[in-house]
RNA sequence: UCCUCGGUAGCUCAAUGGUAGAGCAUUCGGCUGUUAACCGAAGGGUUGUAGGUUCGAGCCCUACCCGAGGAGCCA
């Protein structure tokens, strides 16, 4: 008989009275004096386990069923029946329970039917998907991935895989991990005494990408609306709850568009993402709301209903200067906004997501489009309550002479950017885009407070286990 | 990288410088279909590592390792 997913047993799509086979793992077992046991079995298909009632008459009742502990894998055959007890409407009355895998040394099995600290589970990354919390995070993560592709597909965007290994040294978004096959204890030298990268695998220096943006612009300027969705790497020594060395980023790029179009897209996209979670994972959201971050469901719902507050950087600075709140870092026009300022803007001032636009040119990247005032560029950050910056984007500088002036102003050589400049040289168009940190979106959706718990195998400074 | 706090049983935590304990988990026994069941008993420890002070260190001192929160950088 075919395997039945527990999700379908619980959602009413399997009729009471049907013979079913449940494959899964034991969450807990409770014995009754009446000579029967209640085994909670989960299979990952949904948040809730199903209760399997094991009568004492089962052939292996005493020597196997009564020895089941958390984590054992089982195949349960029986009939789906209405439950006699409270707490569940249906249960499986077992006619056979086959044990596929015992838990060796159950007294030291790390996953117990109790609350664990996130730090402990992080050190058991191979077992943590078995817990309620990480099972739910994994399901919601998948939902956000699927919703991302669906959103862009429905709007006619093309998914462009930009390279993970890049020989381009002009991405400029942060410290990079080197990719090399050179023997580190016996490096080849060139005539000047430096390392001879001509002998390296690619015949030149290579790194892991810090952003797919510059690459994806090539396709934007040919296909119109495109996006990347893939892993990104930063070798920065950041030890925070919001940074990873390896994380996933979504970077849409839209042609014939300006900064307002970009902000509109960011708003539509985020709302689509979180609405998908609310629609598809109500059970997991119930859990997050009850045990991870009270109020997270209401936060998502209001996010989906309210529009974003939009303000210019200049207006944001003015609001901060008038604020009664005490800031560690004083505010003045021209400085970059600190975490405390961003938090105040979105949590205290607007009480909803905020898009801050048109930052001073001196604190932003060379490729952002110069505004007519000559002082600001068409950049935007989306700030979300409780999480801070979730999106950073800009309209790109499409005028070659302005781009070249900006490169020179920032002391950058134009030569490495030859192909990027070509996009402006041949049929240039206004275009814009943004980057969304996928794990940060997942944190916002679930209420998970440390980004290392929003990715199955976190990489961070001095931390690459599993 | 900087600041602050922490590391004791499988897990979560106690323990005036003086005999290392509890709850959960595990094992065993009990309990009228139980809901993170309940009641009773048992096993379980090189107190992060290395030094030092002391009659005596989980506790005090030094160095290091690991973890958490915050800051910077950013997504």
């Amino acid at each position: 008989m075919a395997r039945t997913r527990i999700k379908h047993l619980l959602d009413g799509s399997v009729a009471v009275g049907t013979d079913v086979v449940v494959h899964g793992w034991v969450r807990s077992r409770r014995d009754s004096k009446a000579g029967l046991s209640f085994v909670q079995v989960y299979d990952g298909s949904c948040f809730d386990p199903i209760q399997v009632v094991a009568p004492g008459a089962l052939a292996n009742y005493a020597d196997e069923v009564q020895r089941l502990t958390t984590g054992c894998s089982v195949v349960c055959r029986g009939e789906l029946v209405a439950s006699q007890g409270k707490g569940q409407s249906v249960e499986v009355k077992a006619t056979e329970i086959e044990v596929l895998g015992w838990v060796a040394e159950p007294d030291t099995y790390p996953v117990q039917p109790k609350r664990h600290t996130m730090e402990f589970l992080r050190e058991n990354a191979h077992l943590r998907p078995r817990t309620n919390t990480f099972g739910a995070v994994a399901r919601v993560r998948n939902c956000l991935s699927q919703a991302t592709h669906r959103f862009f597909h429905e709007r006619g965007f093309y998914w462009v895989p930009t390279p993970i290994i890049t020989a381009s040294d002009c991405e400029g978004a942060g410290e990079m991990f080197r990719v090399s096959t050179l023997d580190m204890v016996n490096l080849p030298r060139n005539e000047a005494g430096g390392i001879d990268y001509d002998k390296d695998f690619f015949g030149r220096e290579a790194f892991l990408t810090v952003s797919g943006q510059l690459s994806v612009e090539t396709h934007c300027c040919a296909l119109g609306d495109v996006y990347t969705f893939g892993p990104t790497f930063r070798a920065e020594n950041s030890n925070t709850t919001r940074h990873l060395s390896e994380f996933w980023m979504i970077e849409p790029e839209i042609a014939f568009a300006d900064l307002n179009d970009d902000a509109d897209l960011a708003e539509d996209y985020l709302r689509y993402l979180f609405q998908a979670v609310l629609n598809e994972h109500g059970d997991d959201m119930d859990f997050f709301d009850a045990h991870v971050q009270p109020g997270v469901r209401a936060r998502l719902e209001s996010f989906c209903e309210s529009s974003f507050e939009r303000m210019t950087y200049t207006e944001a600075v003015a609001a901060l200067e008038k604020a009664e709140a005490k800031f560690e870092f004083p505010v003045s026009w021209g400085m970059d906004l600190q975490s405390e300022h961003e938090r105040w803007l979105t949590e205290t001032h607007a009480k909803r997501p905020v898009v801050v636009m048109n930052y001073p040119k001196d604190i932003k990247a060379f490729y952002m489009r110069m505004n007519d005032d000559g002082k600001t560029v068409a950049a935007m950050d989306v700030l979300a309550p409780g999480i801070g910056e979730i999106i950073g984007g800009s309209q790109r500088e499409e005028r070659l002479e302005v781009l070249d002036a900006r490169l020179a102003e920032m002391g950058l050589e134009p030569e490495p950017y030859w192909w990027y400049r070509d996009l402006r040289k041949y049929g240039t168009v206004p275009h814009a885009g943004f980057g969304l940190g996928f794990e940060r979106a997942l944190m916002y959706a679930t209420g998970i407070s440390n980004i290392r718990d929003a990715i199955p195998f976190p990489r961070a400074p001095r931390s690459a286990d599993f």
Side-chain angles (χ1 to χ4, degrees):
Chain A
M1 196 191 300
R3 171 184 174 206
T4 312
R5 295 292 225 134
I6 290 169
K7 176 188 173 78
H8 297 129
L9 297 179
L10 296 177
D11 71 9
S13 56
V14 176
V16 166
T18 308
D19 285 331
V20 297
V21 187
V22 174
H23 297 61
W25 295 268
V26 174
R27 175 137 285 147
S28 69
R29 186 198 87 233
R30 293 182 294 273
D31 299 328
S32 164
K33 194 234 177 176
L36 70 163
S37 295
F38 301 93
V39 185
Q40 298 288 340
V41 176
Y42 69 95
D43 69 356
S45 62
C46 59
F47 184 83
D48 287 316
I50 186 132
Q51 173 159 285
V52 175
V53 182
L58 292 179
N60 62 345
Y61 184 73
D63 59 338
E64 293 197 326
V65 172
Q66 286 198 299
R67 286 175 47 226
L68 287 172
T69 55
T70 302
C72 291
S73 53
V74 291
V75 180
C76 304
R77 296 180 176 80
E79 182 188 353
L80 187 70
V81 299
S83 179
Q84 295 175 32
K86 294 169 186 162
Q88 61 281 318
S89 56
V90 294
E91 62 194 20
V92 172
K93 190 177 174 185
T95 53
E96 183 186 344
I97 292 182
E98 179 189 345
V99 181
L100 293 178
W102 292 99
V103 167
E105 301 163 47
D107 52 331
T108 56
Y109 179 54
V111 182
Q112 296 168 5
K114 60 170 286 191
R115 219 184 161 98
H116 293 97
T117 60
M118 299 299 263
E119 300 85 69
F120 172 71
L121 293 171
R122 216 168 286 148
E123 289 164 7
N124 291 275
H126 59 314
L127 301 175
R128 66 180 184 168
R130 303 173 181 216
T131 63
N132 282 334
T133 304
F134 285 92
V137 169
R139 281 186 293 272
V140 171
R141 185 182 172 109
N142 176 73
C143 173
L144 290 180
S145 294
Q146 299 289 350
T148 292
H149 287 303
R150 211 164 55 234
F151 173 85
F152 288 119
H153 179 69
E154 284 170 0
R155 280 158 185 75
F157 284 63
Y158 298 107
W159 179 27
V160 177
T162 50
I164 290 168
I165 297 174
T166 170
S168 159
D169 56 0
C170 56
E171 292 177 350
E175 292 294 311
M176 303 174 94
F177 288 102
R178 180 180 297 283
V179 176
S180 174
T181 54
L182 292 179
D183 179 359
M184 281 194 282
V185 298
N186 188 21
L187 290 168
R189 297 288 170 176
N190 56 27
E191 287 171 5
I195 296 164
D196 185 4
Y197 288 107
D198 191 51
K199 300 282 197 303
D200 206 344
F201 188 88
F202 296 105
R204 57 184 296 180
E205 290 184 272
F207 304 90
L208 295 179
T209 184
V210 294
S211 165
Q213 181 204 313
L214 301 190
S215 300
V216 87
E217 282 188 46
T218 64
H219 280 60
C220 175
C221 294
L223 296 168
D225 296 336
V226 297
Y227 69 107
T228 72
F229 185 5
T232 309
F233 307 86
R234 302 275 166 93
E236 248 122 41
N237 190 13
S238 324
N239 295 288
T240 79
T241 53
R242 324 182 282 292
H243 291 86
L244 289 166
S245 306
E246 176 181 318
F247 63 99
W248 285 60
M249 193 150 63
I250 292 145
E251 296 172 288
E253 195 73 28
I254 48 178
F256 313 103
D258 63 16
L259 190 64
N260 282 314
D261 299 319
D262 203 30
D264 289 344
L265 180 69
E267 213 174 315
D268 288 349
Y269 169 52
L270 286 173
R271 272 204 295 265
Y272 186 97
L273 277 189
F274 297 139
Q275 192 60 57
V277 175
L278 290 168
N279 292 347
E280 298 164 27
H281 289 276
D283 56 346
D284 293 317
M285 288 310 301
D286 286 343
F287 174 78
F288 292 128
D289 205 49
H291 297 290
V292 174
Q293 185 176 115
V296 64
R297 173 193 282 277
R299 186 174 77 177
L300 271 198
E301 285 166 349
S302 81
F303 190 105
C304 292
E305 284 157 14
S306 64
S307 63
F308 295 8
E309 171 111 5
R310 292 192 193 188
M311 58 174 69
T312 64
Y313 168 88
T314 303
E315 289 164 348
V317 167
L320 285 160
E321 283 173 336
K322 273 190 286 180
E324 290 182 11
K326 287 266 181 282
F327 296 117
E328 187 185 345
F329 296 90
V331 182
S332 65
W333 199 97
M335 63 171 287
D336 210 353
L337 299 180
Q338 306 292 315
S339 296
E340 57 175 345
H341 305 141
E342 296 182 342
R343 224 176 295 127
W344 182 86
L345 285 170
T346 183
E347 291 168 10
T348 307
H349 181 64
K351 296 187 173 65
R352 55 177 173 149
V354 175
V355 186
V356 181
M357 306 166 94
N358 299 321
Y359 283 80
K361 68 181 170 69
D362 292 333
I363 57 171
K364 289 293 180 182
F366 73 90
Y367 52 74
M368 298 184 175
R369 190 178 195 278
M370 183 69 73
N371 287 325
D372 293 340
D373 61 13
K375 297 191 309 191
T376 61
V377 291
M380 67 162 188
D381 283 350
V382 179
L383 313 177
I387 202 127
E389 185 182 339
I390 192 169
I391 278 179
S394 68
Q395 184 175 343
R396 319 308 186 187
E397 182 55 74
E398 85 280 12
R399 300 161 296 187
L400 183 60
E401 67 283 2
V402 182
L403 183 71
D404 282 346
R406 281 287 282 156
L407 284 170
E409 189 178 317
M410 300 181 88
L412 297 167
E413 291 294 325
E415 194 280 329
Y417 300 94
W418 68 272
W419 58 264
Y420 191 72
R421 296 174 65 252
D422 270 5
L423 303 180
R424 279 72 183 163
K425 207 164 151 186
Y426 306 125
T428 192
V429 294
H431 60 292
F434 63 79
L436 168 79
F438 187 62
E439 283 77 15
R440 289 189 182 174
L442 184 56
M443 289 170 77
Y444 191 80
T446 59
I448 291 286
S449 59
N450 190 319
I451 200 167
R452 298 182 189 198
D453 302 320
I455 190 167
F457 302 101
R459 271 86 182 91
R462 307 200 60 77
S463 175
D465 300 327
F466 303 98

